[in-house]
Amino acid sequence: MINYLANPNRFLNFIKPIEFSLGFLSFLFIFIGLYLSLFNSPEDYQQGDTVRIMYIHVPFAWFASFLYFSISIASIFFLIWKHPFADIIARSIAPLGLIFSILTILTGSLWGKPMWGAWWVWDARLTSMLILCIFYFAYIGISNAFPRKIDGSKPAAILAIVGMINLPIIKFSVDWWNTLHQPASIIRFDGPSINQEMLIPLVLMLLGFLFMSIFVILINIKTNLIFKKYQSELIKIG
Amino acid sequence: MNINFKNILIALIEKEFKSYIRSINNLMNMIVFMIAIIILFPLTMGPSEEKLTLVSNAIVWIALIISIIPTLDKIYIGDFKNGWLEQYYFSPLLLEIIILIKCFVFWFFLIIPLSIFIPIFSILLNIPFLIIFWNIIIFAIGSLGFCLIGSICSSLTLGTKSNNLISPLLILPLAIPIFIFGNGVVEAVKSNYDPLPNLYLLITVCLILLVISPLISAYSIKIALTR
């Protein structure tokens, strides 16, 4: 399957029919999720209406770290099998991940001001998220820092793999240290500790963000492929 | 021709040492920069002693770190430009071992001399003697880890258009464990706890870097050479 799709032309043919449905599904899920979370979910007994920030904060945070994980997986594929398509995938994921990590920090500080009384605290979870954001900046910076753009792919791939040590630190920072950030409440050994009525909109939003990020990444991949083709045509013409 | 490990090692260390002695300007720049930071802090904060004792230790650390970072990403750039790295690559010694030696020499001749200034600055900022002693130990261990991180970053940015912008972005996130555990030692000493657990963690981080860093640096130097 991976071998089959590794060819850019076959990949473009494969995604052509599913692209529209992905965009439609993401719109549908986010729409329903937003409606449920804003109008049809209970207020928190301590936090009141501010808890509704959670429905976008959690998906942003999850996909910021998940997209970094997929960048590193694509980079491992690229370094081992040296397939240029893996590099294009990794490069296409990076901008979206950067935006997600910045939005995580922004929504988190908007949530933190009324709850903790501060826009920012130097807490383990917050700091590790900031480091993830810096890693995204460094990845994008180093992959575009070379006179020829292709030269940046391998150093960027190495950086992505080195930065992977940050991901477990983000996930377990709330368990290892005493933090102001609340501990994990969805992925736990004893099942989610969150109320059913809050869980359903959250899951809908997560699904919507999943489809949306796949949709945006596919568009990015297409753009990068077209750009690469355009450059090689330029070289042919001379 | 007598090619054995010892001869190559001595020749390599000699060459590196000479290159650092001849570019003594680098060291002078770092020292001047450090002195500027140390003077600027009391001037901009106001010279009241209560405020200064809270942050005096941090000021010394910031001065050291900020003055080291600009030289840290230039470990390989000179050798890369004049072709020495290719000679290293084709030499009978493994590239990893050469990188390790280069890092050690860089650490020993360019970073360790800076530790002379820790007591001077600490006395200027009223830091107690016990903490000065621990500061020097942390600096000696932590700066080795810092050099190894710098080796990764400077080898990754070989051949970039301008590596000044990316290097701090690469160095800072990787160096955070060193800062955290180094600060842990000082905090423990200040509040009369046992500083050894944090010191061991600091040493662990540096040992891990000692293993990983030459491998990654050698790999990225090979990429830069085959470009």
Side-chain angles (χ1 to χ4, degrees):
Chain A
M1 186 70 181
I2 291 172
N3 269 333
Y4 176 77
L5 287 179
N7 180 318
N9 281 329
R10 278 192 294 237
F11 182 80
L12 287 179
N13 286 333
F14 178 77
I15 63 168
K16 205 175 271 174
I18 60 171
E19 205 178 12
F20 175 76
S21 50
L22 272 175
F24 180 72
L25 274 178
S26 74
F27 178 76
L28 195 73
F29 275 113
I30 290 178
F31 190 77
I32 299 173
L34 272 180
Y35 175 76
L36 285 182
S37 56
L38 288 179
F39 301 110
N40 208 5
S41 71
E43 285 183 4
D44 191 78
Y45 75 104
Q46 279 178 332
Q47 305 187 357
D49 264 337
T50 4
V51 78
R52 300 191 202 284
I53 296 175
M54 175 191 75
Y55 299 109
I56 53 171
H57 178 70
V58 172
F60 281 146
W62 277 28
F63 284 105
S65 33
F66 177 72
L67 290 180
Y68 194 88
F69 181 70
S70 24
I71 288 178
S72 356
I73 295 294
S75 303
I76 291 171
F77 267 78
F78 175 63
L79 283 185
I80 294 175
W81 286 286
K82 303 204 168 45
H83 200 294
F85 195 51
D87 173 48
I88 289 178
I89 292 174
R91 277 168 188 267
S92 319
I93 297 172
L96 188 67
L98 176 66
I99 292 167
F100 275 2
S101 62
I102 290 173
L103 284 174
T104 310
I105 291 168
L106 282 181
T107 52
S109 66
L110 284 177
W111 196 4
K113 184 61 183 169
M115 287 305 106
W116 303 338
W119 296 107
W120 182 267
V121 283
W122 288 95
D123 182 290
R125 175 58 75 84
L126 278 70
T127 311
S128 53
M129 206 64 209
L130 183 67
I131 295 165
L132 184 73
C133 189
I134 293 175
F135 266 121
Y136 272 121
F137 267 117
Y139 179 86
I140 294 173
I142 204 170
S143 60
N144 296 318
F146 289 84
R148 278 194 310 160
K149 212 179 172 190
I150 312 164
D151 290 341
S153 347
K154 277 182 179 176
I158 295 171
L159 175 75
I161 294 166
V162 170
M164 221 159 127
I165 44 166
N166 190 28
L167 292 177
I169 296 176
I170 293 177
K171 173 75 184 82
F172 296 110
S173 57
V174 283
D175 305 329
W176 291 342
W177 292 285
N178 276 324
T179 58
L180 211 53
H181 194 283
Q182 62 159 337
S185 52
I186 298 166
I187 299 181
R188 290 158 62 108
F189 284 120
D190 46 354
S193 66
I194 185 172
N195 190 343
Q196 194 82 40
E197 287 175 43
M198 286 180 169
L199 187 63
I200 290 168
L202 183 59
V203 168
L204 283 177
M205 289 298 277
L206 283 170
L207 282 174
F209 272 82
L210 174 68
F211 290 128
M212 189 191 78
S213 41
I214 295 173
F215 179 62
V216 174
I217 288 165
L218 285 182
I219 291 175
N220 269 349
I221 291 173
K222 260 166 78 176
T223 320
N224 282 344
L225 280 176
I226 291 167
F227 187 68
K228 212 171 184 188
K229 222 178 236 174
Y230 165 72
Q231 273 182 332
S232 58
E233 289 296 324
L234 276 188
I235 292 168
K236 261 184 220 163
I237 298 166
Chain B
M1 282 284 281
N2 182 15
I3 302 176
N4 62 7
F5 184 74
K6 209 176 136 195
N7 286 357
I8 298 174
L9 199 72
I10 292 170
L12 199 62
I13 291 176
E14 204 183 330
K15 181 242 163 196
E16 291 292 316
F17 176 68
K18 275 181 183 165
S19 74
Y20 286 127
I21 287 294
R22 280 166 197 171
S23 60
I24 198 82
N25 260 352
N26 263 339
L27 193 61
M28 298 311 289
N29 276 343
M30 283 158 85
I31 292 165
V32 170
F33 201 56
M34 261 166 68
I35 293 170
I37 293 172
I38 296 283
I39 293 172
L40 275 177
F41 256 101
L43 287 181
T44 50
M45 250 176 50
S48 82
E49 216 168 282
E50 297 154 24
K51 274 195 228 163
L52 273 180
T53 42
L54 275 177
V55 289
S56 50
N57 208 42
I59 295 171
V60 174
W61 283 114
I62 289 171
L64 286 168
I65 291 162
I66 290 185
S67 56
I68 290 173
I69 281 181
T71 45
L72 210 54
D73 56 352
K74 291 178 183 62
I75 302 181
Y76 302 117
I77 192 78
D79 281 355
F80 181 67
K81 276 181 179 160
N82 58 27
W84 264 103
L85 271 185
E86 278 157 46
Q87 299 304 317
Y88 288 148
Y89 183 48
F90 291 121
S91 79
L93 235 64
L94 273 177
L95 194 56
E96 283 86 349
I97 293 172
I98 292 174
I99 284 165
L100 208 55
I101 293 166
K102 266 187 83 77
C103 287
F104 264 110
V105 174
F106 179 84
W107 174 67
F108 197 78
F109 289 120
L110 210 62
I111 307 296
I112 286 292
L114 292 182
S115 65
I116 303 165
F117 290 91
I118 294 180
I120 300 172
F121 293 151
S122 305
I123 290 166
L124 279 177
L125 294 165
N126 287 326
I127 299 174
F129 279 108
L130 186 65
I131 293 180
I132 298 176
F133 167 72
W134 280 104
N135 265 346
I136 292 171
I137 293 178
I138 299 163
F139 181 70
I141 299 165
S143 60
L144 178 61
F146 215 59
C147 290
L148 292 164
I149 291 168
S151 148
I152 296 179
C153 299
S154 59
S155 59
L156 276 179
T157 52
L158 278 181
T160 47
K161 283 176 284 189
S162 61
N163 52 5
N164 315 340
L165 266 173
I166 315 162
S167 309
L169 275 184
L170 293 178
I171 291 168
L172 283 178
L174 293 176
I176 278 175
I178 297 174
F179 302 152
I180 289 176
F181 297 130
N183 184 41
V185 175
V186 175
E187 286 298 316
V189 173
K190 268 185 188 168
S191 46
N192 288 326
Y193 289 125
D194 186 16
L196 285 180
N198 274 310
L199 190 68
Y200 291 154
L201 281 170
L202 184 66
I203 295 171
T204 316
V205 172
C206 291
L207 285 178
I208 292 171
L209 281 171
L210 202 61
V211 178
I212 296 174
S213 164
L215 295 173
I216 299 175
S217 313
Y219 189 68
S220 32
I221 283 176
K222 275 171 200 166
I223 290 170
L225 288 178
T226 51
R227 197 169 281 151

